[in-house]
Amino acid sequence: MPRFAANLSFLYQEVPLIERIAKAAADGFGAVEYVSPYELDKHEIADALGQAGVGQALFNLPAGDWAAGERGIACLPDRIEEFRAGLDKAVSYARTLNCPMVNCLAGLAPEGADAALLDRTLADNLAYAAPRLADAGIALVFEPINRRDMPRYHVSTTNHAETIMAMAGVDNLKIQYDFYHMQISQGDLVPTFERLFDRIGHVQIADNPGRNEPGTGEINYGFVLAALDRLGYAGWVGCEYKPATTTSAGLDWMAPYRKEG
């Protein structure tokens, strides 16, 4: 049975982030995730998680100036020291929040940049981060993101992600497999997931087109979620979608997966 985590950067937008934790718990989510916790006090978040009785599934390593359009810094050769400093901050938050996993966003390729240099920088940063996170008991994933939604994002396919992993050559590094992004970038969703099963650390879902709830578009999520069960995926399934109306009103898609009794 899939275990669903509410991505609070997308869901429950009608209230501040800290208040979304209780709303997610009330709607039956077992955990939460989001782009960034760093704007809030980590102890305040921990208290909210404890009061709601939900876990912290995932958050991202510091990703640069999000408001200014940055979407990660890990592939940028001139931001290596900033990346390493951000790693220390992420470990501090993860320990306080009892968060077992963090995601690394590669970042946007600068115009005219040497793609090979960006690959090498990303691989080296992941190779630096992976053992340090492992020492803290934290898993590391990184995520291919489609270039329709995020033009110039450096890693947009699982093939590219596999290349980076081979270059990094470290344990404690897996792929975050977002079915929405992969449908746009490459398709062949379940066969690819099955081929890479041992190399996937976290899953996220949304439908396409529109990035709304499962069941609103072309992806057969009944088939997808059954495949996760068949293959023995035991991690969280992050619900990173844009509610078509409100989050709570759009949760009928979860009904077949709710535990009875």
Side-chain angles (χ1 to χ4, degrees):
M1 185 71 68
R3 300 189 304 148
F4 296 111
N7 190 300
L8 302 184
S9 297
F10 283 71
L11 306 184
Y12 306 104
Q13 291 289 304
E14 68 274 14
V15 298
L17 179 62
I18 197 70
E19 296 177 23
R20 297 172 198 171
I21 295 172
K23 282 188 168 288
D27 278 338
F29 288 101
V32 299
E33 60 182 44
Y34 30 69
V35 169
S36 169
Y38 310 111
E39 297 75 22
L40 297 174
D41 181 85
K42 60 188 178 182
H43 300 291
E44 182 183 7
I45 302 172
D47 288 345
L49 292 170
Q51 290 173 16
V54 297
Q56 179 71 57
L58 178 89
F59 56 80
N60 294 335
L61 295 176
D65 189 342
W66 195 269
E70 292 187 328
R71 294 297 183 265
I73 59 174
C75 75
L76 303 178
D78 60 343
R79 307 286 286 275
I80 293 172
E81 292 306 315
E82 182 182 348
F83 176 86
R84 292 184 175 186
L87 181 66
D88 293 337
K89 189 173 187 178
V91 168
S92 175
Y93 268 76
R95 283 175 164 161
T96 299
L97 303 181
N98 196 27
C99 181
M101 185 178 299
V102 295
N103 178 46
C104 177
L105 293 176
L108 308 182
E111 296 286 356
D114 180 347
L117 176 59
L118 300 185
D119 278 358
R120 184 73 265 166
T121 302
L122 174 58
D124 287 349
N125 276 331
L126 292 169
Y128 176 86
R132 287 159 179 79
L133 289 166
D135 288 345
I138 303 163
L140 175 63
V141 293
F142 73 120
E143 178 183 17
I145 294 177
N146 83 79
R147 289 179 181 154
R148 185 177 72 192
D149 288 356
M150 203 174 286
R152 295 187 292 106
Y153 190 78
H154 186 57
V155 179
S156 64
T157 68
T158 54
N159 284 345
H160 194 178
E162 287 182 88
T163 296
I164 297 298
M165 292 176 76
M167 292 174 65
V170 290
D171 296 327
N172 193 39
L173 175 62
K174 293 189 175 183
I175 295 169
Q176 178 167 294
Y177 193 89
D178 187 314
F179 281 88
Y180 166 77
H181 288 305
M182 294 301 91
Q183 173 70 353
I184 295 169
S185 291
Q186 63 189 58
D188 207 26
L189 296 176
V190 170
T192 302
F193 182 87
E194 186 164 6
R195 180 179 67 82
L196 294 175
F197 181 77
D198 291 337
R199 312 192 79 184
I200 290 172
H202 186 62
V203 165
Q204 292 179 327
I205 59 174
D207 220 326
N208 181 64
R211 204 172 189 176
N212 300 131
E213 293 90 342
T216 59
E218 66 186 0
I219 301 176
N220 183 348
Y221 270 110
F223 183 82
V224 166
L225 294 172
L228 298 191
D229 282 347
R230 172 175 59 81
L231 294 167
Y233 176 74
W236 292 104
V237 177
C239 299
E240 191 181 59
Y241 62 79
K242 302 173 185 178
T245 55
T246 67
T247 302
S248 297
L251 289 177
D252 286 351
W253 70 268
M254 280 181 58
Y257 309 103
R258 293 183 187 276
K259 293 181 179 179
E260 300 295 334

